[in-house]
Every structure is written in structure tokens, then in C-alpha cells.
Amino acid sequence: MTAQTVSAPSTPMTAQTVSTPSTAVAAQTVSTPSTAVAAAGTTTTAPTRTAGSSGAVGTSRTRLEGRAKVTGAARYAGEVPFAELAYGWLATSTVARGRIRSIGAEPVLAMPGVLAVLHHENAPRLKPGVGMMGPDATLQILQDDRVPHVGWPVALVVAETPEQARAAAEALVVTYDEEPHDVVFSSGHPGLHAPDGGPRARTDTEKGDIEAELAASAVVVDEEYTTPEEYHTAMEPHAAVARWEDGRLEVIDSNQGSHAVAQDLAKLFFLDATSVRVRSEHVGGAFGSKGLMRPHLIVAAMAATVLDRPVRVVLTRRQLFSLVGFRPATAQRIRLGAEPGGRLRALDHDATSFSSTINEYVEQSAQPSRVVYAADALRTRTRVVRLDVPTPSFMRAPGWAPGSFAIESAMDELAEKTGLDPIALRLRNEPEVGPASGLPFSSRNLIPCFEEGARRFGWTDRDPRPGTRREGRWLLGTGMAAAAHSAGTAPSSASITAEADGTFTVRIAAADIGTGARTALTQIAADALETPLKTVRVKIADSDFGPAFLAGGSMGTASWAWAITEAAAALREKLAHVDQIPGEGTTARADTTELVMAMRGQERYAFGAQFAEVAVDVASGEVRVRRMLGTFAVGRVVNPLTARSQLIGGMIMGLSMALHEEGIRDIASGGLVNGDLAGYHVASNADVPVIEAGWVGDPDTYNPTGIKGLGEIGIVGVAAAIANAVWHATGIRHRNLPIRLDRVLTAGTAIENGGAGTY
Ligand code: MOS
């Protein structure tokens, strides 16, 4: 999902493709904020319109399924009704490490409505070694007696009603042979090692002599920054219904990619790929947690197979905190060495995080340091330790989000030490080519983001001195940070049918996880077919539509749009040469695998500049973000309305990361203390100030659609911008997230005593 396949388009654009990205994007500038005020006090950005054959791309459109969603007509995986539906409820382990000694199924089977208790001794056997991105042992549910963490599935209870299933699962007595566990992460953990998860996980880079350059530097920053466990907390819990119908395993699931999930499900159950169909028409948020197949679907398929009737499994909010991934805690040491004028001689980013004993997921937090700044010597290093905890996974801007907190905080500290304006410091270290790779950028419009953002935010006259602006009990400050995120493209396939009635049906196994993807793809198809939007119907999220990339890695729209554009070209070609048979449709298919595989040799990223203003009361510990502004270079923008929603959504998640989110692990039990929405704090409307998001022109024809993707970059850099603003307000650096009340209070005491430090 984070893998990046990028390169120049190998084929010239044909007349059938959508309007040329260079013209389309050139027309986009940061739009003026309209006076219209949307929910949560955010201001909207006026829509921009770009050239396009039928003008659909670049025009703001509300979601095509919006009415169905707000009226409840849209059904999610947990809601679709079936006759004879049975309900599964997971029982999960209460110990962090050990073996299951016994499962007291007998008394539970006698409870009202209970149909089955599946566990490691009676559940269907699964094929080992299956996984979307290599063997994924988190899929091996109910296969053996080993318990790798608190919250691991130990049984599935199936009953006639969800209430009966829940009561029985809660009554199930499971005993364990416990073993000592280790759930405590730090950058000094002796188990830290170089990732062993294959070439993609091994990402260390080294250029120049880092120690020599540091020794020769007039100004040095050497600090450790930490981020805690963070959880996706998508609104819709993971849910699936599985049933056998006409010899096929038919599934309705909540995921980010129906085709990939169907492939894995087939393999796992020793089935032919054509015997499995997965659909996920509506998905209520994911943020990475629904990218891979998850346990709810596996146990639903097991139960449907054993009972030969439809079975639904919905995870509880608490179960989501141990079964669908999370962002692991990170500890990152940054060493910067600079000349007095701010030019970097050395940049060293040493990132550590943890994974489970089941799978080695590696949070690639050093990524931004390979991309954003030039330095004579550059070193990035990533280490991981395996603990007795649930398996972490991709979470919005994996690596980029926690990594940017570290490097963008350190750059602010360097600005302070060199007496430079934070933007001026960054301009001084703008690279010509990829700092680690030496490869050219497909496009790099970070500087326009700084300039446009600074102008709109009102950065120019900023007094750099910290702790000097007071408004009643509040100290005020502003901060900024750079943002970057990879903008890759992955193979996808699509088909388009010219229907006999003059309309078009597009089929692609894309996922709309709440982003507006369905609407954006309809706009893309309308322009590619040069037909009005209302004549195009886009069907998504059905594995029968063929391979398509996940809604992940900020690659969904770019990858799917290319496939649709190719299919449209093929259809137009076909219609020009073939007489349409009256009453029948004509269909063309396209698969971009070869086109994508031919791409190489450039680095491709979206960029951005984040600005924040905060008010801090050091006596109460409160930090209030008063306003935020993000300016981005994200290639071509398909639907300005939903693009803005994506960007401010990411920025709000970044605010939440800066001030609130923190999974707290109990050393004694090994479980989370706050694994629910009461204890795990997520920013609510009252925390969210006026937020503006806009974009600058960013022509990029590397992928011929010109789309870079913008689902993740919104969160990148926000936590640093806020922490930098808190420093500007108070003079205190917060190098550990989140910037909690107690940390601010401790800092406040230090200010009174004239001291400074890390909190
Ligand atoms: Mo996203 S974290 O790549 O699903």
C-alpha cells in the first residue's frame, strides 16, 4: 500500500484521454475563502473549474450517494438484511502471552439461541502464508492455542440473535497458561533490530560522512521526539456478512479494496478465486484499518461454511483497538548540523517503533527526511522491536505523519538556533533532486505552498520571539511545518459499457471509504467519454469487476482514474470501428498493469505547508488551536468540494494527533487502558477551529491523469506546526505527543522558574 510505483508515462496521451493535466492544473490556484461557513466552524473554499471535455473534472460536486447516505437508504455491511441470518460474536484473550489451556464451550452451547462455538480445536483449517503484502500471520485466526496479545480472538460464538451471541461470548470461560510479556517500548529497547520484512522494509540510506559534517557544523540540533500509539477510530466498525450461494462464497464486507480481499479470502479457504465474491459498496471510514483482510471476515466465512447459513460478524469498538491495526508508538532521534546561515551539512533521522510477535510491520518514520531537505550528509535509519502487543498497521500517512512531527519540529529548533525565519530556513535547504535517491522529482511545488500559505495565513510580519504575546490568560503563538507524501500509481482495471439507451456504465473495483471516490470517478469518466455527467453510472467495490488497487497509499483515485481513462479510450476506439448491435451494449476493458510497470526513474510526491495559531494557558494546561491553514501541491484536483473535505479532514486528524490521541498500554495486563472512545480522545467539533485548505497549481504528467492523491497529506506536518506554535506561544518545546494538559502544566512551572526543557 505504501509501495510506490512511479515514472514517466510510457505512452503519449491520446485525444481520448482526459484534458491535459498541465492545462487543467494550471487553471487551479488557491481559491479565495468564501463567506459560507460549513459545519464545525470551518470556512469553505470556493470551487475552481478547470478545462475538460465536458467540464466535469475540476467542478465541485456533492457526493452522488449523499442522499442515500443521509436518508439511511445506503446500507453498510452491518446493515444489509438477509433471511436466516445468524450472528457471530468474538471472544478475545484477556492475557498478553501464553497458551489456551481450555475453552468451556459445553455450557455456552446450552445457552438460548447458540448455534456454534468455533475455536482452535474445531474451526476450519486455513492455508498458511496468505497475505496481500506477503505472508500475514494475523489472518491465521482460531488455528492454534498460542496467544500473542490481549484482544486476540480465541473463539467465535454464533447464535440466532446478536444479543444471544454476545451473552454467550461473555459467558464463555477460557483458561490460559500465562507467560511473561513485554509491552514496553522505548528507543533503548535491546530488541530493536533492522527490519526483516523483505526488501521493502529495509530502507536505510546513507550519503556522505554524517559524523564529520556534524562535527564541522556551527549549529547542531540533537533531540529525541516521541509519538504514542494512535488508533484509526473510523466511525463504522468492521463488519461482514458471509454466505454460500450457488457454490460461491458471497461476502459483504467493509474494506478498502474488494478485489484484493476476495483474492486473499479465496486462498485462505483453499478456494478457486472465481468462487469468492466480495462487495463493499459503502464504507464508513477506514484510514488504513480496512486495507487488509481482517479477522471479522475470516470468522464470518468460517461460520457460514460450518453452519451453511448467512453469518454476520461486527466488531465492537473495543475489539477495534486490538484487531484492525494502529499506528505504533515511535521514538525518533534527529540530528541536524548547519552552517550559521542555516544551510544543512548533516541530517540524521533515526526512527524506532514496534511491532507484534505475529508480524513485523515497520513504521517508516524516516521517509520525510529522504525527500524534503537537501543536506551534504544524509542518513536515515529505521529499527523495530517485537513486543507482546497487537499488530500495528498502516494508519493515515504511515511513516509520514509521525516522521514529519520529528523532522519538522527539529527544523523549527534549528530556525530558533540560527535566528532564521522557519520558512526562510526551509527555502535555504530546498533540494534540486531527491536528497537520498538523486532522482529527479516529477514535480515539486513546495515553495509555492510556503509562499501562498504565508500570504494567506499572514505569516510575513511574525515576531519570532517566543512567549511574548499575551491575551488575558492566554499566550499566543504561530507555527508552521512542511508536508510531503508519496504520490504513487498502482495497476488497476476497469470496464465501460456503452448501453443501448445512450448511457454508460463503468465498472471498477474501487472503494469509496467516505472520500467521494465514486463521485470523482464519475467526473473522470464523463470527461474521458466526452459525455454529460448524468449519462455516466459508476459501479464500484465488487471483486467481480476485476483487479483494482486499494483505496490506500493516496493512490486510489490516480490509479483508478488512469484505468477508467484507458477504458474510455478503448471504448471510443471500438465504437468508431464497430457497429453497435441494436439493443445491445458495447463494452471495452482496460488494465494499466503494463503501463504502470513501465514507469520508473522519478520521485513523485504531493507537498504542502501547514500553518497553525494556538492559545496556551500555562496555568490550566489548555492548548486551543485558534486557526489552521494548509496549502498543498497535489497535482490535479478532480472535485474541489470533496478534495477540500479530505484535506481538512486530514488536518483535523493532525490536530487530534497533536493534542489528544494516545493509546495507553497497561504494563501489568499488557492491554490498553483506554481502548474505547471514552478513554481514547479524538478531537471533537469543539476542538476544531476555522480551517482553510487550498492548493496551488501543480502540473504533473508522470501519471497521465495528473492526479497525485490527497487522502493523506492533510495530516502530515500538522502536529509539528502546532507544537512549533506552542513553542512560539510559551517558549517551551514539546517533543512528546500528545501535548497533554499535564505536560503543559509541568512546562508552565518551568517557565515560572525561568527554565526550559522537554515535556
Ligand atoms: Mo492508507 S493508511 O494507505 O489506507
Side-chain angles (χ1 to χ4, degrees):
M1 229 173 354
T2 52
Q4 223 193 328
T5 316
V6 288
S7 84
S10 57
T11 48
M13 276 187 299
T14 63
Q16 287 86 359
T17 55
V18 291
S19 55
T20 59
S22 49
T23 15
V25 176
Q28 290 170 357
T29 52
V30 173
S31 38
T32 335
S34 92
T35 45
V37 174
T42 59
T43 62
T44 64
T45 326
T48 50
R49 189 188 166 89
T50 57
S53 312
S54 67
V57 170
T59 304
S60 283
R61 299 272 177 187
T62 55
R63 286 168 174 76
L64 294 168
E65 77 286 9
R67 184 185 167 83
K69 279 182 175 168
V70 298
T71 57
R75 304 271 196 186
Y76 291 79
E79 300 177 318
V80 182
F82 288 96
E84 291 296 298
L85 186 61
Y87 298 83
W89 204 279
L90 276 177
T92 60
S93 76
T94 53
V95 305
R97 186 185 174 107
R99 302 256 169 203
I100 298 166
R101 188 192 301 158
S102 68
I103 293 193
E106 288 306 318
V108 161
L109 282 165
M111 288 176 72
V114 173
L115 299 165
V117 179
L118 299 180
H119 50 82
H120 65 282
E121 286 167 351
N122 65 0
R125 295 299 95 186
L126 301 172
K127 183 177 182 172
V130 175
M132 212 177 280
M133 310 180 66
D136 181 356
T138 66
L139 305 182
Q140 298 296 317
I141 304 294
L142 309 184
Q143 298 299 291
D144 62 37
D145 62 353
R146 194 167 84 88
V147 174
H149 60 75
V150 170
W152 176 252
V154 293
L156 181 80
V157 178
V158 192
E160 296 286 353
T161 72
E163 292 79 8
Q164 290 168 335
R166 177 177 203 159
E170 287 173 354
L172 185 72
V173 175
V174 181
T175 62
Y176 305 90
D177 291 319
E178 264 192 88
E179 296 164 17
H181 61 259
D182 178 9
V183 299
V184 182
F185 168 72
S186 82
S187 59
H189 198 292
L192 281 163
H193 59 270
D196 60 16
R200 198 167 40 216
R202 288 194 289 271
T203 52
D204 292 3
T205 62
E206 184 144 19
K207 184 190 83 175
D209 187 337
I210 201 88
E211 301 302 335
E213 294 293 341
L214 275 168
S217 292
V219 189
V220 172
V221 171
D222 181 355
E223 298 291 351
E224 182 173 277
Y225 304 86
T226 70
T227 64
E229 289 183 27
E230 292 159 359
Y231 288 79
H232 308 86
T233 60
M235 214 191 300
E236 181 209 15
H238 292 53
V241 187
R243 69 191 199 282
W244 283 93
E245 203 170 282
D246 301 329
R248 282 188 106 192
L249 183 57
E250 291 265 355
V251 167
I252 296 177
D253 181 36
S254 180
N255 66 51
Q256 293 173 237
S258 50
H259 188 267
V261 167
Q263 298 278 108
D264 272 5
L265 189 60
K267 286 183 204 150
L268 204 58
F269 283 82
F270 303 94
L271 297 169
D272 189 88
T274 56
S275 314
V276 175
R277 182 188 190 190
V278 174
R279 285 177 291 167
S280 36
E281 189 176 355
H282 297 293
V283 179
F287 310 113
S289 70
K290 295 170 183 169
L292 307 171
M293 186 169 30
R294 295 300 186 188
H296 67 287
L297 171 54
I298 298 165
V299 293
M302 281 179 172
T305 303
V306 169
L307 295 171
D308 197 20
R309 57 187 274 194
V311 176
R312 170 175 296 153
V313 177
V314 182
L315 296 186
T316 66
R317 182 57 60 180
R318 280 180 174 277
Q319 289 168 351
L320 295 172
F321 279 84
S322 62
L323 290 175
V324 302
F326 60 101
R327 198 196 304 284
T330 72
Q332 304 171 61
R333 183 184 181 193
I334 305 272
R335 294 190 297 166
L336 301 177
E339 293 173 349
R343 203 185 65 83
L344 284 170
R345 298 185 66 137
L347 193 172
D348 184 20
H349 192 151
D350 197 336
T352 63
S353 68
F354 66 81
S355 190
S356 70
T357 61
I358 312 170
N359 257 8
E360 192 165 280
Y361 168 83
V362 182
E363 186 76 10
Q364 296 284 354
S365 299
Q367 279 186 108
S369 293
R370 297 193 279 269
V371 172
V372 184
Y373 302 112
D376 295 331
L378 172 66
R379 196 181 77 126
T380 65
R381 197 168 170 271
T382 306
R383 296 293 177 266
V384 62
V385 56
R386 310 280 287 260
L387 302 175
D388 301 307
V389 296
T391 309
S393 179
F394 310 101
M395 179 166 146
R396 205 174 200 171
W400 300 96
S404 67
F405 170 66
I407 182 64
E408 293 299 316
S409 295
M411 286 297 280
D412 205 67
E413 300 205 45
L414 184 61
E416 177 193 351
K417 285 191 168 182
T418 53
L420 284 168
D421 174 78
I423 293 179
L425 173 67
R426 286 167 171 82
L427 295 178
R428 207 150 295 180
N429 291 289
E430 176 75 2
E432 294 286 327
V433 294
S437 70
L439 293 171
F441 291 103
S442 66
S443 58
R444 184 176 166 110
N445 286 299
L446 178 56
I447 291 176
C449 294
F450 287 146
E451 289 169 344
E452 188 65 20
R455 187 181 67 73
R456 289 167 59 84
F457 186 77
W459 180 266
T460 322
D461 298 323
R462 179 178 184 260
D463 176 350
R465 292 171 301 154
T468 55
R469 290 148 302 274
R470 188 171 274 284
E471 187 187 287
R473 66 189 177 100
W474 301 102
L475 285 165
L476 306 181
T478 53
M480 62 81 56
H485 194 279
S486 54
T489 302
S492 291
S493 66
S495 75
I496 308 182
T497 301
E499 308 286 359
D501 64 1
T503 65
F504 298 88
T505 306
V506 178
R507 290 181 175 83
I508 184 163
D512 191 328
I513 57 179
T515 59
R518 179 187 279 103
T519 309
L521 296 181
T522 307
Q523 293 173 265
I524 292 281
D527 279 9
L529 293 162
E530 295 190 19
T531 187
L533 195 82
K534 63 177 190 300
T535 65
V536 179
R537 175 182 322 107
V538 174
K539 299 192 167 195
I540 63 168
D542 183 336
S543 61
D544 277 1
F545 296 162
F549 193 64
L550 309 175
S554 293
M555 291 192 275
T557 304
S559 304
W560 305 324
W562 195 359
I564 288 174
T565 303
E566 292 290 327
L571 181 64
R572 289 160 62 100
E573 179 76 16
K574 205 167 182 176
L575 291 175
H577 293 97
V578 181
D579 285 332
Q580 186 142 352
I581 302 162
E584 282 191 33
T586 303
T587 297
R589 276 193 69 80
D591 186 315
T592 59
T593 304
E594 283 179 25
L595 293 171
V596 171
M597 291 309 172
M599 301 168 83
R600 64 177 55 85
Q602 288 184 28
E603 295 210 33
R604 190 166 188 258
Y605 304 94
F607 292 96
Q610 305 276 11
F611 295 85
E613 179 179 331
V614 303
V616 185
D617 180 345
V618 293
S620 70
E622 289 169 88
V623 177
R624 294 283 169 189
V625 178
R626 290 200 163 179
R627 63 192 175 105
M628 297 206 296
L629 182 143
T631 302
F632 302 92
V634 287
R636 185 176 196 219
V637 172
V638 178
N639 184 351
L641 182 73
T642 50
R644 174 189 164 277
S645 296
Q646 282 275 74
L647 292 168
I648 67 163
M651 292 168 74
I652 291 167
M653 211 162 172
L655 181 161
S656 195
M657 172 184 176
L659 301 182
H660 305 297
E661 297 193 31
E662 178 176 32
I664 298 170
R665 207 155 277 285
D666 175 41
I667 297 172
S669 72
L672 275 188
V673 172
N674 60 340
D676 56 38
L677 289 179
Y680 184 84
H681 294 175
V682 177
S684 66
N685 270 14
D687 299 302
V688 178
V690 169
I691 297 182
E692 284 182 57
W695 44 87
V696 297
D698 187 32
D700 188 306
T701 54
Y702 196 55
N703 163 333
T705 68
I707 297 165
K708 280 187 174 174
L710 41 71
E712 292 169 282
I713 191 162
I715 192 176
V716 181
V718 174
I722 290 171
N724 295 342
V726 170
W727 170 80
H728 189 233
T730 63
I732 299 288
R733 286 285 169 195
H734 287 267
R735 300 190 183 94
N736 305 293
L737 294 183
I739 306 173
R740 293 190 314 249
L741 296 179
D742 59 306
R743 287 175 166 154
V744 176
L745 282 173
T746 312
T749 311
I751 292 179
E752 281 165 23
N753 299 332
T758 299
Y759 302 93

